[in-house]
């Protein structure tokens, strides 16, 4: 019997390698980020075409503040321009735009633009585009713990009620399924504090391609590799069940 190919519903991407892409061409790092943003735009559109339900992109981590101020300012400005430029596209493609992370502390301009796009697209029913901004997986877990402690203190939650399902509802990704597939570009084999809770059973796909060189074909390749994997979620292979 032919095995049915399962399509990943939720794909998360660590878009790494913008700086190296620029260095290889003796260009300033910001040129790599500019090109990386264009690629992100293409991949968003292609994901809609493929019918992916949720796309989560790691745009700025809680650790990225360590970069030179000019680079941080440039990245924020880039995202602001990107949002202004593509607002119409989000509506046309029925994309629901969301942000995960502690984005309330971001500079005024970008914060307002984010709010505007979140509000304008909140009733869209197509792909959810989740941008991780000032995001840290450990911080997300700590924030969830603090909120739960508050609820326990005011009597709305009994400690015995705390379980995985309840905990999940206090994460930034509340209401979304965990990623099926996590892609990281640029050859680094680590998760860099991304979606720590949510990737317990996620399949990983690493490629040496630098993010500015990543194409829709590369995304298709990652999906094909994912489809060959057997996800057991801690169980055993189905064929083995009868042969214990
Ligand atoms: C990693 O490259 C990339 C980032 C820290 C920023 C990612 C941001 C974008 C691609 C633009 C944001 C766009 C949207 C629309 C979400 P790096 O600078 O760490 O590269 P390196 O490891 O080669 O130095």
């Amino acid at each position: 019997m032919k095995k049915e190919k399962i399509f990943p519903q939720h794909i998360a991407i660590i878009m790494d390698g913008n700086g190296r892409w620029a260095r290889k061409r003796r260009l300033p790092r910001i040129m790599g980020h500019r090109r990386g943003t264009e690629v992100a735009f293409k991949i968003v559109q292609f994901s809609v075409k493929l019918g992916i339900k949720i796309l989560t992109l790691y745009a700025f981590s809680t650790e990225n503040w360590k970069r030179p101020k000019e680079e941080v300012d440039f990245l924020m400005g880039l995202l602001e321009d990107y949002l202004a430029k593509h607002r119409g596209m989000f509506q046309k493609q029925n994309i629901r735009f969301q942000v995960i992370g502690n984005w309330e502390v971001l500079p005024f301009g970008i914060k307002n633009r984010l709010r505007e796009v979140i509000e304008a697209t909140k009733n869209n029913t197509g792909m959810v585009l989740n941008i991780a901004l000032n995001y840290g997986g450990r911080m997300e877990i700590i924030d969830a713990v603090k909120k739960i402690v508050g609820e326990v203190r005011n009597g709305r939650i009994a400690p015995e009620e705390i379980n995985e399902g309840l905990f999940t509802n206090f994460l930034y990704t509340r209401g979304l399924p965990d990623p099926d597939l996590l892609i990281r570009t640029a050859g680094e084999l680590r998760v860099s504090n991304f979606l720590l809770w949510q990737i317990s059973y996620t399949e990983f796909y690493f490629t040496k391609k630098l993010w500015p060189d990543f194409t829709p074909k590369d995304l298709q390749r990652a999906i094909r590799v994912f489809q060959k994997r057997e996800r057991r979620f801690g169980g055993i292979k189905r064929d083995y069940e009868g042969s214990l």
Side-chain angles (χ1 to χ4, degrees), residues 15-21 29 33 36-37 40 57-59 64 67 71 75 78-79 82 131 211:
M15 309 175 291
D16 196 11
N18 293 348
R20 273 163 282 174
W21 182 90
R29 287 177 59 82
H33 292 315
T37 305
L57 301 178
Y58 204 4
N64 286 152
R67 296 183 178 211
E71 185 174 338
L75 273 169
L78 204 58
L79 188 63
Y82 170 92
I131 304 284
W211 177 250

Side-chain angles (χ1 to χ4, degrees), residues 11 86 92 139 164 168 186 208 222:
I11 299 183
H86 298 304
K92 220 166 100 195
M139 188 50 79
E164 289 186 17
T168 303
K208 287 197 171 136

Side-chain angles (χ1 to χ4, degrees), residues 163-183:
N163 58 26
E164 289 186 17
L166 181 137
F167 196 84
T168 303
N169 284 332
F170 286 85
L171 295 170
Y172 305 144
T173 50
R174 176 183 49 247
L176 298 175
D178 291 342
D180 302 295
L181 172 63
L182 172 71
I183 298 172

